[in-house]
Amino acid sequence: MDRVEEMLGEVRRTFKGGRTRGVEWRKAQLQALLNLLAENEDKIIEALRQDLGKHPVEAYRDEVGVVKKSATNAFRCVEKWMAPQKGRIPVVFFPARGAVVSEPLGVVLIFASWNFPISLALDPVIGAISAGNTVVLKPSDLAPKCSSFLANTIPLYLDPEAIKVVEGGKDISEQLLQLKWDKIFFTGSPQVARLIMSAAAKHLTPVTLELGGKCPTILDTLSNSSDLQVAVKRIVGGKWGPCNGQACIGIDYVLVETQFAPVLIELLKKFIKRFYGENLKTLENLARIVNKHHFERVHNLLKDPNVAATIVYGGSVDEENMVIEPTILLNPPLDAEIMTEEIFGPLLPIITLNNIEESIQFINSRPKPLAIYAFTKNDSLKEKILQETSSGSLTFNDAIIQFVADTLPFGGVGQSGFGRYHGKFSFDTFSHEKAVLHRSFLIELEPRYPPWNDFKMDFVKLAYDFDYVGLVLLLLGLRGLFRRNRRQ
């Protein structure tokens, strides 16, 4: 505990010293992070292979590339983000001017997740640095090689008095949560998020929670064969491509009309074989299950006899290498754990409906998801999904790609989390937007004359309702007041 408190004390002193507030420090750290990525790309990819078995292409796409793009964008835009934003002030306060000034929150604690142990660690750090904060990063101990890489490499590139990495398991996390922070950013499960919020509440610390949930995909009947094949390719990529289904925004299940299910299943099989291999022994381009505990958790979902009976493809497991074959299930029981808990693995249930519009009611009967994916060319259905469902994000005719769009906020709603980040939204998440109003001494009304008070009330009311009309009335009223003062 003493070591953790000493570390917090150092980064707090650094923040109070003021050097992190300047644009020069922020840009220097962002450039140093880009240098870290460029000079250690091979080490990062190897660490990801050892921790999760990620293919080099997947490792670059979902980890190195994501962070590089985010840091480059922040480096280019941070001065603009820092600039005070003009605020329109009611003319009843004339002459006056207002602004919104973004100031850093202070010392930020970031908990990273194991499934994307590089990008989900460094992407929030980019936002915290851009906003001028000092940072303590806690990588996940479930990805030990990546955690060790971050702990050993970050001090060589970034300001070691302002940005620190602390490794450890549950005991270290508990020690960190006992201390007072100016912001906590957490990526992980709802169960742990509840502990984070409980600890943060003791110090009234603001939190951002990036959680998960059962992200549904709605597949409408697509009459065009080419459109259908593209849709299924994107479903296969969105389900198994990111960490073999171990992704908070990964596809959890598919909703489809009953008569369309056989076509969907055959196409899913076709593209699974093309992308990943024909059977358990020839699988490639797939990450493995992160550890024994999670392997057993996912495997247990299939051990329910009522669930096992619905498997239409896959289902094989390699316990020694912690690999589970991409598996398709048709209409597993809705009250089974596979349909009530986030799967976070390579299992894909298909749920059939009489009419695709029933998907809206199905989704709304469950907790709000982090993402909804809908494949349709029906504009009326799109509008109904948009207006009648609630989710962290909504993507039409693709999956996952919203995560890498820096111009869009990323975050959840309800049980899928709250708060948002990416791009300017990351800067805002780690900033306090302070209202600043400058008033002049030139004009001051005093309630000296009862008849004048009645008139003043009238034009002040108008000034609030109609700014420009109010300005004219205000100036006319002031002129009358000055004349009255002179006569007195």
Side-chain angles (χ1 to χ4, degrees):
M1 188 66 176
D2 292 341
R3 181 174 67 88
V4 173
E5 290 181 335
E6 181 181 348
M7 176 190 60
L8 174 58
E10 183 176 359
V11 292
R12 194 170 294 283
R13 286 191 296 272
T14 300
F15 178 75
K16 289 181 178 179
R19 74 169 178 262
T20 67
R21 290 177 175 266
V23 67
E24 294 83 6
W25 182 87
R26 305 185 197 196
K27 295 189 76 170
Q29 302 311 304
L30 293 170
Q31 182 59 61
L33 188 52
L34 287 169
N35 294 342
L36 183 156
L37 295 172
E39 296 169 13
N40 295 276
E41 181 179 318
D42 291 342
K43 292 181 181 178
I44 294 172
I45 289 174
E46 176 60 20
L48 289 165
R49 186 194 67 79
Q50 293 186 44
D51 280 339
L52 291 154
K54 290 193 177 185
H55 187 278
V57 173
E58 179 185 352
Y60 188 89
R61 181 195 65 198
D62 296 346
E63 306 269 7
V64 177
V66 167
V67 179
K68 181 179 179 181
K69 179 177 66 65
S70 180
T72 301
N73 180 56
F75 183 86
R76 292 171 177 170
C77 299
V78 65
E79 289 183 70
K80 180 174 67 175
W81 295 344
M82 292 173 62
Q85 304 298 307
K86 290 183 179 180
R88 187 167 177 265
I89 302 300
V91 294
V92 70
F93 302 130
F94 177 84
R97 58 188 172 87
V100 177
V101 176
S102 295
E103 62 180 16
L105 292 172
V107 181
V108 172
L109 173 62
I110 296 174
F111 287 101
S113 183
W114 55 262
N115 53 339
F116 298 90
I118 299 298
S119 59
L120 293 186
L122 295 182
D123 205 4
V125 168
I126 289 168
I129 289 172
S130 300
N133 300 279
T134 56
V135 181
V136 173
L137 170 65
K138 168 61 177 67
S140 173
D141 59 304
L142 298 186
K145 297 298 182 182
C146 290
S147 177
S148 177
F149 168 81
L150 292 170
N152 293 326
T153 309
I154 283 180
L156 304 178
Y157 288 84
L158 305 185
D159 185 344
E161 295 179 348
I163 301 159
K164 293 188 177 293
V165 182
V166 56
E167 291 190 279
K170 181 180 178 181
D171 56 334
I172 291 295
S173 297
E174 290 175 348
Q175 291 178 30
L176 291 168
L177 289 173
Q178 292 177 27
L179 304 175
K180 177 174 172 49
W181 306 88
D182 299 303
K183 173 82 175 188
I184 297 176
F185 187 102
F186 171 77
T187 303
S189 69
Q191 293 79 8
V192 179
R194 292 183 178 92
L195 301 177
I196 300 286
M197 284 196 68
S198 177
K202 297 175 183 177
H203 302 289
L204 297 180
T205 301
V207 298
T208 292
L209 302 178
E210 297 296 340
L211 309 178
K214 297 184 71 64
C215 299
T217 290
I218 301 169
L219 180 60
D220 195 6
T221 304
L222 299 171
S223 57
N224 185 296
S225 175
S226 176
D227 292 341
L228 177 58
Q229 295 212 35
V230 169
V232 177
K233 283 180 182 179
R234 293 175 179 177
I235 289 171
V236 171
K239 172 60 183 179
W240 290 281
C243 204
N244 198 6
Q246 301 171 107
C248 58
I249 54 171
I251 294 171
D252 198 274
Y253 61 94
V254 178
L255 299 169
V256 66
E257 290 185 358
T258 302
Q259 69 272 17
F260 197 50
V263 177
L264 170 60
I265 291 169
E266 290 307 310
L267 285 174
L268 286 171
K269 292 178 182 179
K270 171 184 174 181
F271 291 116
I272 288 171
K273 293 174 182 178
R274 180 185 297 182
F275 293 171
Y276 309 118
E278 297 253 354
N279 57 58
L280 186 65
K281 294 183 178 180
T282 60
L283 290 179
E284 57 183 358
N285 307 327
L286 282 173
R288 67 169 181 271
I289 307 300
V290 64
N291 59 25
K292 191 74 171 178
H293 169 74
H294 283 279
F295 176 88
E296 290 296 335
R297 180 190 60 80
V298 177
H299 190 199
N300 285 338
L301 297 177
L302 297 177
K303 290 181 178 179
D304 181 338
N306 294 324
V307 172
T310 66
I311 295 174
V312 294
Y313 179 82
S316 300
V317 301
D318 179 351
E319 187 171 353
E320 182 180 352
N321 295 307
M322 292 186 294
V323 175
I324 297 177
E325 185 180 9
T327 301
I328 305 170
L329 306 98
L330 180 61
N331 288 321
L334 297 182
D335 60 351
E337 190 175 357
I338 196 171
M339 288 305 300
T340 59
E341 300 294 330
E342 185 177 10
I343 295 172
F344 225 67
L347 316 181
L348 180 64
I350 297 172
I351 306 299
T352 59
L353 309 168
N354 293 325
N355 187 299
I356 197 62
E357 292 193 357
E358 295 175 10
S359 59
I360 295 173
Q361 181 181 355
F362 188 95
I363 292 169
N364 288 340
S365 68
R366 293 160 181 266
K368 296 178 180 180
L370 182 58
I372 295 175
Y373 306 110
F375 292 83
T376 180
K377 298 177 76 173
N378 185 330
D379 290 337
S380 175
L381 178 59
K382 285 183 178 181
E383 188 64 20
K384 290 192 72 172
I385 295 169
L386 176 62
Q387 297 298 332
E388 298 179 21
T389 66
S390 178
S391 58
S393 64
L394 172 59
T395 299
F396 290 107
N397 300 328
D398 210 334
I400 306 296
I401 61 169
Q402 78 279 7
F403 182 84
V404 294
D406 287 329
T407 55
L408 297 176
F410 179 81
V413 59
Q415 290 190 31
S416 61
F418 53 80
R420 56 187 188 169
Y421 73 123
H422 287 182
K424 174 63 160 56
F425 303 100
S426 289
F427 177 88
D428 294 339
T429 286
F430 292 103
S431 299
H432 166 60
E433 294 183 328
K434 180 166 61 179
V436 180
L437 192 149
H438 300 268
R439 189 83 193 278
S440 171
F441 290 105
L442 289 178
I443 298 174
E444 182 72 8
L445 300 181
E446 296 183 9
R448 294 183 178 180
Y449 308 102
W452 167 245
N453 282 346
D454 295 338
F455 176 60
K456 183 172 70 174
M457 178 62 74
D458 290 337
F459 79 71
V460 166
K461 287 181 178 180
L462 283 171
Y464 272 111
D465 294 337
F466 307 101
D467 275 357
Y468 294 109
V469 174
L471 177 59
V472 174
L473 291 175
L474 180 62
L475 294 175
L476 289 174
L478 290 171
R479 185 176 66 176
L481 176 63
F482 293 149
R483 287 178 176 175
R484 188 186 294 261
N485 281 339
R486 283 199 296 270
R487 286 199 298 270
Q488 294 295 327

